[in-house]
Amino acid sequence: MAQTSKRTTAKKMSMTAVAKPAVKKAVASTKNAVAKKSSASKSKEQRDVDKMLSLAAETFRVMSAPMRLKIINCLCQEEKNVGQLLDEIKTTQPNMSQHLNTLYKAKILGKRRDGVQIYYRIINDRVVTLCRAVCTQIAIDSDLPHPP
């Protein structure tokens, strides 16, 4: 009888060992189904809002560096080459080029080559409008002079 008890215990243990992975798979499968259902149940409107917020976050990320805001500010009125930008913004040429490249890749700036010079210009006017609005409001709140 002691031997039968050991066999029964061994069978139970082996069944439990087999059952646990099956339970884990079932739980994982259920979680995946719930995740798919929740993403499928998102309305087109919600997906559009999510996309819009994602694009807004990317725009704010690109504009989060003060150097990039200085560049945008310098280019608001007219296009300028790198030398002209360096005359107005005190930084190194490699640093300036890195920030210009980031703004170019983000489709905020456009560029053209004239001989050996590269000229940059604003191509996304919404970014300029956003910068002006934010900077004006900060200036008002801080009692600082602000541009027109």
Side-chain angles (χ1 to χ4, degrees):
M1 196 173 203
Q3 210 165 18
T4 307
S5 173
K6 284 183 183 177
R7 283 184 192 161
T8 306
T9 304
K11 277 186 180 180
K12 284 181 183 177
M13 287 176 63
S14 104
M15 288 173 68
T16 304
V18 170
K20 282 185 181 179
V23 169
K24 285 182 182 179
K25 284 182 182 178
V27 169
S29 177
T30 303
K31 284 181 181 178
N32 288 340
V34 169
K36 286 179 184 176
K37 183 178 178 183
S38 69
S39 67
S41 68
K42 277 188 178 179
S43 67
K44 180 182 180 334
E45 182 179 316
Q46 184 59 48
R47 288 190 304 273
D48 289 347
V49 168
D50 289 349
K51 183 176 182 179
M52 183 262 316
L53 292 174
S54 178
L55 291 170
E58 178 60 18
T59 300
F60 284 122
R61 183 197 65 77
V62 169
M63 294 179 7
S64 68
M67 178 62 66
R68 293 185 200 134
L69 294 174
K70 290 177 186 179
I71 292 169
I72 291 168
N73 186 55
C74 282
L75 294 173
C76 281
Q77 303 304 317
E78 64 181 347
E79 71 174 12
K80 294 182 181 171
N81 65 36
V82 177
Q84 292 169 316
L85 289 168
L86 285 169
D87 288 342
E88 293 185 38
I89 302 170
K90 300 303 175 206
T91 189
T92 64
Q93 188 275 327
N95 189 37
M96 175 69 73
S97 292
Q98 182 180 15
H99 287 291
L100 288 167
N101 191 41
T102 299
L103 291 165
Y104 176 75
K105 285 182 177 177
K107 298 182 179 153
I108 294 171
L109 298 184
K111 62 183 176 179
R112 70 174 179 87
R113 180 179 290 278
D114 185 10
V116 296
Q117 296 294 323
I118 297 177
Y119 287 84
Y120 289 89
R121 69 190 178 288
I122 302 285
I123 60 171
N124 186 335
D125 290 328
R126 288 177 289 163
V127 169
V128 174
T129 302
L130 178 62
C131 285
R132 282 187 179 146
V134 170
C135 289
T136 299
Q137 190 59 52
I138 289 171
I140 290 168
D141 293 346
S142 305
D143 292 325
L144 297 171
H146 55 88

